[in-house]
Short mmCIF file of all heavy atoms in Angstrom, two decimals:
data_model
loop_
_atom_site.label_atom_id
_atom_site.label_comp_id
_atom_site.label_asym_id
_atom_site.label_seq_id
_atom_site.Cartn_x
_atom_site.Cartn_y
_atom_site.Cartn_z
N LEU A 408 156.64 74.67 111.23
CA LEU A 408 155.22 74.59 111.56
C LEU A 408 154.91 73.14 111.90
O LEU A 408 155.16 72.25 111.09
CB LEU A 408 154.33 75.05 110.41
CG LEU A 408 152.82 74.89 110.67
CD1 LEU A 408 152.35 75.78 111.80
CD2 LEU A 408 151.99 75.14 109.41
N ILE A 409 154.36 72.95 113.09
CA ILE A 409 153.95 71.63 113.55
C ILE A 409 152.47 71.72 113.92
O ILE A 409 152.06 72.66 114.61
CB ILE A 409 154.76 71.17 114.77
CG1 ILE A 409 156.26 71.14 114.43
CG2 ILE A 409 154.30 69.80 115.24
CD1 ILE A 409 157.15 70.93 115.64
N ALA A 410 151.69 70.76 113.46
CA ALA A 410 150.26 70.69 113.80
C ALA A 410 150.00 69.37 114.51
O ALA A 410 150.36 68.31 114.01
CB ALA A 410 149.41 70.80 112.55
N TRP A 411 149.34 69.45 115.66
CA TRP A 411 149.09 68.30 116.54
C TRP A 411 147.63 68.30 116.95
O TRP A 411 147.13 69.29 117.48
CB TRP A 411 150.00 68.41 117.76
CG TRP A 411 149.94 67.34 118.80
CD1 TRP A 411 150.67 66.18 118.83
CD2 TRP A 411 149.18 67.36 120.02
NE1 TRP A 411 150.40 65.48 119.99
CE2 TRP A 411 149.48 66.18 120.73
CE3 TRP A 411 148.26 68.25 120.56
CZ2 TRP A 411 148.90 65.86 121.96
CZ3 TRP A 411 147.68 67.95 121.79
CH2 TRP A 411 147.99 66.77 122.47
N TRP A 412 146.94 67.21 116.65
CA TRP A 412 145.51 67.11 116.97
C TRP A 412 145.18 65.63 117.07
O TRP A 412 144.75 65.01 116.10
CB TRP A 412 144.70 67.80 115.88
CG TRP A 412 143.24 67.93 116.11
CD1 TRP A 412 142.51 67.51 117.18
CD2 TRP A 412 142.29 68.55 115.20
NE1 TRP A 412 141.18 67.82 117.02
CE2 TRP A 412 141.03 68.45 115.81
CE3 TRP A 412 142.42 69.15 113.95
CZ2 TRP A 412 139.88 68.95 115.19
CZ3 TRP A 412 141.27 69.64 113.34
CH2 TRP A 412 140.02 69.55 113.96
N PRO A 413 145.37 65.02 118.23
CA PRO A 413 145.21 63.57 118.37
C PRO A 413 143.83 63.09 117.93
O PRO A 413 142.81 63.69 118.28
CB PRO A 413 145.42 63.33 119.87
CG PRO A 413 146.21 64.50 120.33
CD PRO A 413 145.77 65.65 119.50
N GLY A 414 143.83 62.04 117.14
CA GLY A 414 142.57 61.48 116.68
C GLY A 414 142.04 62.09 115.40
O GLY A 414 141.16 61.53 114.75
N THR A 415 142.56 63.25 115.03
CA THR A 415 142.14 63.89 113.78
C THR A 415 143.31 64.01 112.81
O THR A 415 143.24 63.58 111.67
CB THR A 415 141.53 65.28 114.04
OG1 THR A 415 140.36 65.14 114.85
CG2 THR A 415 141.16 65.97 112.73
N VAL A 416 144.40 64.62 113.27
CA VAL A 416 145.61 64.70 112.45
C VAL A 416 146.33 63.36 112.52
O VAL A 416 146.71 62.90 113.59
CB VAL A 416 146.54 65.84 112.93
CG1 VAL A 416 147.91 65.71 112.28
CG2 VAL A 416 145.92 67.20 112.61
N LYS A 417 146.50 62.75 111.38
CA LYS A 417 147.20 61.46 111.31
C LYS A 417 148.66 61.66 111.69
O LYS A 417 149.33 62.55 111.16
CB LYS A 417 147.09 60.89 109.90
CG LYS A 417 147.73 59.52 109.74
CD LYS A 417 147.57 59.02 108.31
CE LYS A 417 148.27 57.67 108.11
NZ LYS A 417 148.14 57.20 106.71
N PRO A 418 149.18 60.86 112.62
CA PRO A 418 150.56 61.06 113.07
C PRO A 418 151.59 60.67 112.03
O PRO A 418 151.30 59.97 111.06
CB PRO A 418 150.65 60.13 114.29
CG PRO A 418 149.62 59.09 114.07
CD PRO A 418 148.50 59.77 113.34
N GLY A 419 152.80 61.19 112.23
CA GLY A 419 153.93 60.81 111.40
C GLY A 419 153.97 61.44 110.03
O GLY A 419 154.70 60.97 109.15
N GLN A 420 153.24 62.52 109.81
CA GLN A 420 153.19 63.13 108.48
C GLN A 420 154.28 64.20 108.32
O GLN A 420 154.59 64.93 109.25
CB GLN A 420 151.84 63.79 108.24
CG GLN A 420 150.66 62.85 108.21
CD GLN A 420 149.38 63.58 107.87
OE1 GLN A 420 149.17 64.03 106.75
NE2 GLN A 420 148.50 63.71 108.85
N VAL A 421 154.84 64.26 107.14
CA VAL A 421 155.73 65.34 106.73
C VAL A 421 155.14 65.92 105.45
O VAL A 421 154.99 65.21 104.45
CB VAL A 421 157.17 64.86 106.49
CG1 VAL A 421 158.04 66.02 106.04
CG2 VAL A 421 157.74 64.23 107.76
N SER A 422 154.77 67.19 105.49
CA SER A 422 154.06 67.81 104.37
C SER A 422 154.92 68.89 103.71
O SER A 422 155.49 69.75 104.39
CB SER A 422 152.75 68.44 104.84
OG SER A 422 152.13 69.15 103.78
N ASP A 423 154.98 68.85 102.36
CA ASP A 423 155.65 69.91 101.61
C ASP A 423 154.65 70.93 101.06
O ASP A 423 154.98 71.71 100.17
CB ASP A 423 156.50 69.32 100.49
CG ASP A 423 155.67 68.55 99.46
OD1 ASP A 423 154.44 68.47 99.61
OD2 ASP A 423 156.27 68.05 98.48
N HIS A 424 153.43 70.91 101.61
CA HIS A 424 152.43 71.90 101.21
C HIS A 424 152.96 73.31 101.49
O HIS A 424 153.46 73.60 102.58
CB HIS A 424 151.14 71.68 101.99
CG HIS A 424 150.09 72.72 101.76
ND1 HIS A 424 149.41 72.84 100.57
CD2 HIS A 424 149.61 73.70 102.57
CE1 HIS A 424 148.55 73.85 100.65
NE2 HIS A 424 148.66 74.38 101.85
N ILE A 425 152.86 74.19 100.51
CA ILE A 425 153.35 75.56 100.65
C ILE A 425 152.27 76.39 101.34
O ILE A 425 151.16 76.54 100.83
CB ILE A 425 153.70 76.15 99.27
CG1 ILE A 425 154.80 75.32 98.61
CG2 ILE A 425 154.16 77.60 99.41
CD1 ILE A 425 155.05 75.70 97.15
N SER A 426 152.61 76.93 102.50
CA SER A 426 151.63 77.67 103.32
C SER A 426 152.32 78.84 103.99
O SER A 426 153.54 78.96 103.98
CB SER A 426 151.02 76.74 104.37
OG SER A 426 152.03 76.18 105.21
N ALA A 427 151.51 79.71 104.60
CA ALA A 427 152.05 80.92 105.21
C ALA A 427 151.10 81.41 106.30
O ALA A 427 149.98 80.93 106.44
CB ALA A 427 152.29 82.00 104.17
N PHE A 428 151.57 82.42 107.04
CA PHE A 428 150.80 82.95 108.16
C PHE A 428 149.40 83.40 107.76
O PHE A 428 148.46 83.30 108.55
CB PHE A 428 151.55 84.13 108.80
CG PHE A 428 152.57 83.73 109.83
CD1 PHE A 428 153.07 82.44 109.90
CD2 PHE A 428 153.05 84.67 110.74
CE1 PHE A 428 154.01 82.08 110.85
CE2 PHE A 428 153.98 84.33 111.70
CZ PHE A 428 154.47 83.03 111.75
N GLN A 429 149.25 83.93 106.55
CA GLN A 429 147.93 84.40 106.13
C GLN A 429 146.91 83.28 106.02
O GLN A 429 145.71 83.53 105.94
CB GLN A 429 148.02 85.18 104.82
CG GLN A 429 148.71 84.47 103.68
CD GLN A 429 150.15 84.89 103.55
OE1 GLN A 429 150.87 85.02 104.54
NE2 GLN A 429 150.60 85.13 102.31
N ASP A 430 147.38 82.04 106.06
CA ASP A 430 146.46 80.91 106.00
C ASP A 430 145.79 80.59 107.34
O ASP A 430 144.81 79.84 107.37
CB ASP A 430 147.20 79.65 105.52
CG ASP A 430 147.73 79.78 104.11
OD1 ASP A 430 147.10 80.51 103.31
OD2 ASP A 430 148.76 79.15 103.80
N MET A 431 146.31 81.15 108.42
CA MET A 431 145.77 80.80 109.73
C MET A 431 144.34 81.33 109.92
O MET A 431 143.48 80.64 110.45
CB MET A 431 146.68 81.30 110.85
CG MET A 431 148.07 80.65 110.86
SD MET A 431 148.05 78.84 110.99
CE MET A 431 148.47 78.38 109.30
N MET A 432 144.08 82.56 109.49
CA MET A 432 142.74 83.12 109.62
C MET A 432 141.69 82.24 108.93
O MET A 432 140.72 81.80 109.57
CB MET A 432 142.70 84.54 109.08
CG MET A 432 141.32 85.11 108.83
SD MET A 432 140.53 85.80 110.27
CE MET A 432 141.15 87.49 110.19
N PRO A 433 141.83 81.94 107.64
CA PRO A 433 140.81 81.09 107.01
C PRO A 433 140.78 79.67 107.55
O PRO A 433 139.71 79.05 107.60
CB PRO A 433 141.18 81.11 105.52
CG PRO A 433 142.59 81.56 105.47
CD PRO A 433 142.80 82.46 106.64
N THR A 434 141.92 79.15 107.98
CA THR A 434 141.95 77.80 108.55
C THR A 434 141.14 77.74 109.84
O THR A 434 140.28 76.87 110.02
CB THR A 434 143.40 77.36 108.84
OG1 THR A 434 144.13 77.33 107.61
CG2 THR A 434 143.43 75.99 109.48
N PHE A 435 141.40 78.68 110.74
CA PHE A 435 140.71 78.65 112.03
C PHE A 435 139.23 78.97 111.87
O PHE A 435 138.39 78.38 112.56
CB PHE A 435 141.37 79.63 113.00
CG PHE A 435 142.80 79.30 113.33
CD1 PHE A 435 143.65 80.26 113.88
CD2 PHE A 435 143.31 78.04 113.09
CE1 PHE A 435 144.96 79.95 114.18
CE2 PHE A 435 144.63 77.72 113.39
CZ PHE A 435 145.47 78.68 113.94
N ALA A 436 138.89 79.88 110.98
CA ALA A 436 137.47 80.18 110.72
C ALA A 436 136.77 78.95 110.15
O ALA A 436 135.63 78.63 110.55
CB ALA A 436 137.35 81.36 109.76
N ASP A 437 137.43 78.26 109.25
CA ASP A 437 136.87 77.04 108.66
C ASP A 437 136.61 75.99 109.74
O ASP A 437 135.54 75.38 109.79
CB ASP A 437 137.85 76.51 107.61
CG ASP A 437 137.24 75.46 106.69
OD1 ASP A 437 136.10 75.02 106.93
OD2 ASP A 437 137.91 75.07 105.72
N LEU A 438 137.58 75.79 110.62
CA LEU A 438 137.42 74.81 111.69
C LEU A 438 136.31 75.20 112.65
O LEU A 438 135.64 74.34 113.23
CB LEU A 438 138.74 74.63 112.44
CG LEU A 438 139.89 74.02 111.64
CD1 LEU A 438 141.18 74.06 112.45
CD2 LEU A 438 139.57 72.60 111.22
N ALA A 439 136.12 76.51 112.83
CA ALA A 439 135.05 77.00 113.72
C ALA A 439 133.69 77.02 113.04
O ALA A 439 132.67 77.27 113.69
CB ALA A 439 135.40 78.40 114.23
N GLY A 440 133.67 76.78 111.75
CA GLY A 440 132.40 76.73 111.03
C GLY A 440 131.81 78.08 110.74
O GLY A 440 130.58 78.22 110.64
N VAL A 441 132.66 79.10 110.55
CA VAL A 441 132.15 80.45 110.27
C VAL A 441 132.80 80.98 109.00
O VAL A 441 133.85 80.50 108.56
CB VAL A 441 132.42 81.42 111.44
CG1 VAL A 441 131.63 80.99 112.66
CG2 VAL A 441 133.91 81.49 111.76
N ALA A 442 132.17 82.00 108.44
CA ALA A 442 132.68 82.60 107.21
C ALA A 442 133.98 83.34 107.50
O ALA A 442 134.18 83.90 108.57
CB ALA A 442 131.65 83.57 106.64
N THR A 443 134.86 83.35 106.49
CA THR A 443 136.15 84.02 106.62
C THR A 443 136.10 85.38 105.95
O THR A 443 135.63 85.49 104.82
CB THR A 443 137.26 83.18 105.94
OG1 THR A 443 137.24 81.87 106.47
CG2 THR A 443 138.62 83.80 106.18
N PRO A 444 136.58 86.43 106.62
CA PRO A 444 136.71 87.71 105.93
C PRO A 444 137.67 87.57 104.75
O PRO A 444 138.43 86.61 104.66
CB PRO A 444 137.30 88.63 107.00
CG PRO A 444 137.02 87.96 108.31
CD PRO A 444 137.01 86.49 108.02
N LYS A 445 137.65 88.54 103.85
CA LYS A 445 138.56 88.49 102.70
C LYS A 445 140.00 88.54 103.18
O LYS A 445 140.40 89.45 103.92
CB LYS A 445 138.28 89.66 101.76
CG LYS A 445 139.17 89.67 100.51
CD LYS A 445 138.80 90.78 99.57
CE LYS A 445 139.77 90.88 98.41
NZ LYS A 445 139.92 89.63 97.67
N THR A 446 140.78 87.55 102.77
CA THR A 446 142.18 87.47 103.16
C THR A 446 143.02 87.06 101.95
O THR A 446 142.49 86.78 100.88
CB THR A 446 142.41 86.43 104.28
OG1 THR A 446 142.24 85.11 103.74
CG2 THR A 446 141.45 86.64 105.44
N ASP A 447 144.33 86.99 102.18
CA ASP A 447 145.24 86.47 101.17
C ASP A 447 145.58 85.01 101.42
O ASP A 447 146.47 84.46 100.77
CB ASP A 447 146.54 87.29 101.18
CG ASP A 447 146.31 88.74 100.77
OD1 ASP A 447 145.61 88.96 99.77
OD2 ASP A 447 146.82 89.64 101.46
N GLY A 448 144.86 84.38 102.35
CA GLY A 448 145.18 83.01 102.74
C GLY A 448 144.21 81.99 102.20
O GLY A 448 143.17 82.31 101.62
N LEU A 449 144.57 80.73 102.42
CA LEU A 449 143.74 79.59 102.06
C LEU A 449 143.60 78.68 103.27
O LEU A 449 144.56 78.46 104.01
CB LEU A 449 144.39 78.78 100.92
CG LEU A 449 144.58 79.49 99.58
CD1 LEU A 449 145.39 78.61 98.63
CD2 LEU A 449 143.24 79.85 98.96
N SER A 450 142.41 78.16 103.48
CA SER A 450 142.19 77.26 104.61
C SER A 450 143.00 75.98 104.44
O SER A 450 143.00 75.36 103.37
CB SER A 450 140.71 76.92 104.74
OG SER A 450 140.53 75.90 105.72
N MET A 451 143.64 75.58 105.51
CA MET A 451 144.38 74.32 105.54
C MET A 451 143.58 73.23 106.24
O MET A 451 144.11 72.15 106.53
CB MET A 451 145.72 74.53 106.26
CG MET A 451 146.66 75.49 105.54
SD MET A 451 148.08 75.97 106.56
CE MET A 451 148.87 74.38 106.81
N ALA A 452 142.30 73.51 106.54
CA ALA A 452 141.48 72.54 107.25
C ALA A 452 141.38 71.19 106.52
O ALA A 452 141.44 70.14 107.17
CB ALA A 452 140.09 73.11 107.51
N PRO A 453 141.24 71.17 105.18
CA PRO A 453 141.19 69.85 104.52
C PRO A 453 142.44 69.02 104.76
O PRO A 453 142.37 67.81 104.98
CB PRO A 453 141.03 70.22 103.04
CG PRO A 453 140.37 71.56 103.05
CD PRO A 453 140.96 72.27 104.23
N LEU A 454 143.59 69.65 104.74
CA LEU A 454 144.84 68.94 104.96
C LEU A 454 144.91 68.42 106.40
O LEU A 454 145.32 67.29 106.65
CB LEU A 454 146.02 69.86 104.65
CG LEU A 454 147.42 69.24 104.53
CD1 LEU A 454 148.33 70.14 103.70
CD2 LEU A 454 148.06 69.03 105.89
#
Side-chain angles (χ1 to χ4, degrees):
L408 176 65
I409 302 170
W411 180 89
W412 187 0
T415 298
V416 167
K417 183 180 177 181
Q420 296 184 70
V421 179
S422 174
D423 62 0
H424 174 71
I425 300 171
S426 58
F428 275 18
Q429 53 263 42
D430 295 331
M431 295 303 105
M432 165 83 88
T434 298
F435 297 162
D437 194 352
L438 294 173
V441 294
T443 306
K445 181 176 174 55
T446 71
D447 295 314
L449 297 173
S450 172
M451 296 168 62
L454 192 157

